[in-house]
Each structure stands twice: as C-alpha cells, then as structure tokens.
C-alpha cells in the first residue's frame, strides 16, 4: 500500500522508486485451492534490519512451488514494521543492541521465540480460521532465513521439535546452534573473495580484525554442521551478502548506479534468485517431503556457480 511504502521510505530514507518497484502477486480474498493434508510450511526470517519487502521475489518463487511461506517480521529489530492497522513500529535500542555476545544471543532468543509464536498462531488458524482451516501441513515444517534470520532458523530447528529442517542464507550461526544442529541443515555462503588492505581500511577494520572475524564466522558454520544428519555447505560464485535480499539484486537492472556489483554482487539478479530458490526448494522437498533432488547430490553442470564445500 502507499502507506506501507511511505513508512519504509521514511525509515530507510530511500528513493520512492525502490519500494514502488516491488510488486507483489497478491489477491485479496482469493479462494484457497484445497490440498489433502494441507500445504507444507516454511517460516522465514529476514536479515537484521532488512525490510521483509526485499525478499519478495525469493519468497514468491518458493511459495509457487507448493509451500506456504510465513514471513516473521521482528518488531523493534527491523527498521520498520508495518502492522495491519497501519501503525508503524521502528527499530529501537533494545531491539538492535548487539554490542556484546550476550546481548546478541539475547536478541537471537527473542527472534527464535517470535518464530515459535508465529508457528503457534498458524496452528490456531489451521484449527478454526474461516479461510485457512486445514490449509497447513504442520507435520512438515521448515525454517529458513538470511543472515541473522538464518541463525534464527537454525536455532529454531534446534529447540522446536516441529521444525524439521533449516537453511541459513549467508549468515554466521550464533547461539546454541553454533555447537551443532542434529537435523538437516543447509548453509549457503557468498563467494569467498580476497580483500586488499586498502579495501579493509575503507570500511574501518584492520587485516587482523578481519581475519579474526572471518575465522569466527567459518568456525560457526563448521560447528553448526558438525552434528547434522544431513549437512550441506554451498558457495555461490558472484554473490555477496546483500545478493540474498533478492529484490536488491534484481534492482541492479533498474538503478545500476545505486545497486552496483560491489553492493549486490556480480551475478545477474534473476540468475541469483533462480539458484537460491531452486536449492531452497530442493532441500525442503528432500528433507520435509521425502522427494530427493539430484541438486543435493553434488555439483551440477546446470548450476556451475554453485560449489559444494566439504570439510
């Protein structure tokens, strides 16, 4: 809606064309196509501070493959959260302070509880809602997310028996999940690139600080996958962290001077969205629905950008 666009534009101070260019495939009061047993459910959490609108292309594509995707917006941590009545909640200090590991983990716990609360609410809808009763297959639930949202998905699968599998899109794994997730877990990372001292200095960190931070990031991934019954670590050539906010990558074609390759990755936005959505669907079809995919068996000639990383 215009009010929603205005809220995002005000909070993020972005040109109106950015949010106005994101068009959802939405129909009000559309009838639900019945499916025996309901549709499998995927819970999604965005990156920290990243508007949920920036994932429209990815989530629409995944939903089109036969999943119900429930997006969890995390009020007070996200730049702007728009409620159904039009009220707007902006980020505050309590919802965004990650100045220590303890504060970061406390916020992570809130996000995990948000996810569980959303799943509880879907259970209520499935039982009695006028439109959505029996729409959800709550015996087949997965979780995925980008960055901090990916860490949230991994931890949700660790603590909630209802969440059977998880994907982390280019994020470290904080909290208990960093010690090992026993359920199927996929972690997709951006291309591993070398940075010059000048590039690091431009963003205000030293070579030593970067190497420590990068080692911690990779160790968190290794730790999370170490106990998984079905571990996958993939890297996608040409991607950077913001590529996984799919609409940002697509906007490179719209505003190339704003969304440069350095910002959104060298890979074409449509191709990036295809790869990320195809591997997401392959993983959840395999580990939620027992429909194995050849994409998970190793590197594919159809996806030369994807590298399987073996520990």
């Amino acid at each position: 809606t215009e009010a929603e666009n205005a809220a995002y534009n005000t909070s993020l101070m972005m040109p109106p064309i950015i949010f106005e260019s994101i068009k959802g495939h939405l129909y009000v009061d559309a009838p639900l196509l019945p499916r025996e047993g309901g549709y499998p459910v995927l819970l999604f959490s965005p990156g920290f501070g990243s508007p949920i609108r920036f994932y429209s292309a990815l989530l629409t594509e995944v939903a089109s493959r036969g999943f119900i995707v429930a997006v969890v917006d995390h009020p007070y941590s996200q730049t702007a959260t728009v409620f159904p009545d039009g009220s707007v909640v902006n980020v505050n200090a309590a919802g965004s302070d990650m100045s220590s590991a303890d504060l970061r983990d406390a916020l992570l716990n809130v996000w995990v509880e948000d996810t569980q609360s959303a799943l509880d609410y879907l259970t209520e809808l499935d039982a009695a809602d006028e439109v959505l009763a029996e729409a959800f297959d709550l015996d087949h639930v997965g979780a995925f997310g980008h960055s901090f949202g990916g860490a949230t998905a991994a931890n949700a699968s660790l603590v909630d028996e209802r969440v059977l599998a998880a994907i982390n899109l280019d994020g470290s794994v904080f909290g208990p999940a960093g010690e090992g997730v026993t359920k199927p877990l996929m972690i997709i990372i951006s291309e591993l690139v070398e940075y010059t001292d000048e590039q690091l200095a431009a963003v205000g960190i030293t070579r030593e600080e970067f190497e420590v931070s990068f080692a911690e990031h990779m160790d968190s991934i290794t730790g999370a996958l170490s106990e998984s019954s079905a571990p996958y670590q993939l890297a996608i050539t040409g991607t950077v962290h913001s590529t996984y906010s799919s609409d940002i990558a697509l906007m490179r074609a719209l505003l190339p001077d704003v969304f440069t390759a350095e910002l959104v990755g060298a890979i074409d936005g449509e191709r990036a969205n295809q790869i990320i959505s195809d591997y997401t669907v392959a993983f959840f079809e395999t580990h939620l629905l027992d429909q194995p995919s050849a994409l998970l068996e190793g590197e594919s000639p159809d996806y030369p950008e994807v590298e399987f990383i073996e520990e």
Side-chain angles (χ1 to χ4, degrees):
T1 64
E2 290 184 11
E4 185 183 25
N5 283 341
Y8 283 126
N9 289 336
T10 300
S11 299
L12 292 165
M13 295 181 289
M14 288 186 171
I17 189 177
I18 292 175
F19 286 104
E20 291 170 0
S21 69
I22 302 173
K23 306 294 185 182
H25 300 276
L26 307 176
Y27 298 86
V28 177
D29 296 328
L32 181 72
L33 182 66
R35 181 180 189 273
E36 185 176 355
Y39 293 90
V41 174
L42 301 179
L43 299 155
F44 179 83
S45 285
F48 200 92
S50 183
I52 58 174
R53 289 277 295 281
F54 283 169
Y55 300 89
S56 299
L58 171 63
L59 302 182
T60 300
E61 180 60 30
V62 172
S64 77
R65 310 286 188 91
F67 295 90
I68 287 179
V69 180
V71 184
V72 185
D73 206 349
H74 300 276
Y76 305 105
S77 293
Q78 300 308 94
T79 308
T81 299
V82 184
F83 281 81
D85 65 359
S87 60
V88 178
V89 170
N90 293 112
V91 63
N92 65 12
S96 60
D97 189 350
M98 293 197 290
S99 58
S100 71
D102 287 343
L103 288 172
R104 178 201 66 202
D105 289 347
L107 273 179
L108 178 67
N109 190 53
V110 171
W111 280 43
V112 171
E113 290 179 351
D114 286 347
T115 303
Q116 293 179 286
S117 178
L119 187 51
D120 292 341
Y121 182 58
L122 296 185
T123 304
E124 295 175 15
L125 293 177
D126 194 61
D129 186 78
E130 186 174 317
V131 175
L132 296 175
E134 301 183 357
F136 306 99
D137 179 358
L138 295 170
D139 291 326
H140 297 93
V141 176
F144 68 126
H146 174 217
S147 194
F148 200 81
T152 299
N155 278 276
S157 76
L158 183 70
V159 303
D160 197 313
E161 62 182 12
R162 298 172 293 179
V163 180
L164 303 181
I167 297 176
N168 181 336
L169 299 175
D170 204 39
S172 298
V173 184
F174 307 115
E179 301 300 318
V181 175
T182 57
K183 296 172 183 174
L185 177 64
M186 175 180 281
I187 299 178
I188 303 178
I189 65 173
S190 52
E191 182 178 3
L192 300 176
V193 298
E194 294 288 337
Y195 296 101
T196 66
D197 291 341
E198 291 76 15
Q199 288 173 318
L200 295 176
V203 295
I205 61 173
T206 66
R207 169 70 57 185
E208 182 179 10
E209 289 170 335
F210 170 77
E211 290 179 352
V212 169
S213 176
F214 182 74
E216 290 175 350
H217 168 66
M218 297 306 293
D219 286 347
S220 78
I221 292 174
T222 301
L225 293 169
S226 63
E227 303 295 326
S228 173
S229 59
Y232 305 89
Q233 184 181 357
L234 314 178
I236 303 177
T237 301
T239 62
V240 297
H241 192 61
S242 62
T243 307
Y244 297 84
S245 297
S246 58
D247 298 7
I248 291 287
L250 288 165
M251 284 181 194
R252 183 178 169 200
L254 179 68
L255 297 169
D257 294 336
V258 176
F259 297 102
T260 62
E262 290 76 18
L263 179 63
V264 300
I267 191 172
D268 175 75
E270 289 190 26
R271 178 62 174 171
N273 192 54
Q274 176 189 2
I275 294 170
I276 296 166
S277 58
D278 283 354
Y279 278 85
T280 295
V281 169
F283 174 82
F284 285 123
E285 285 184 340
T286 297
H287 295 293
L288 293 186
L289 306 179
D290 196 25
Q291 298 173 5
S293 170
L295 285 185
L296 302 188
E297 295 175 2
E299 295 177 6
S300 166
D302 295 329
Y303 299 87
E305 302 96 333
V306 177
E307 175 189 359
F308 279 68
I309 299 174
E310 304 291 342
E311 291 297 333

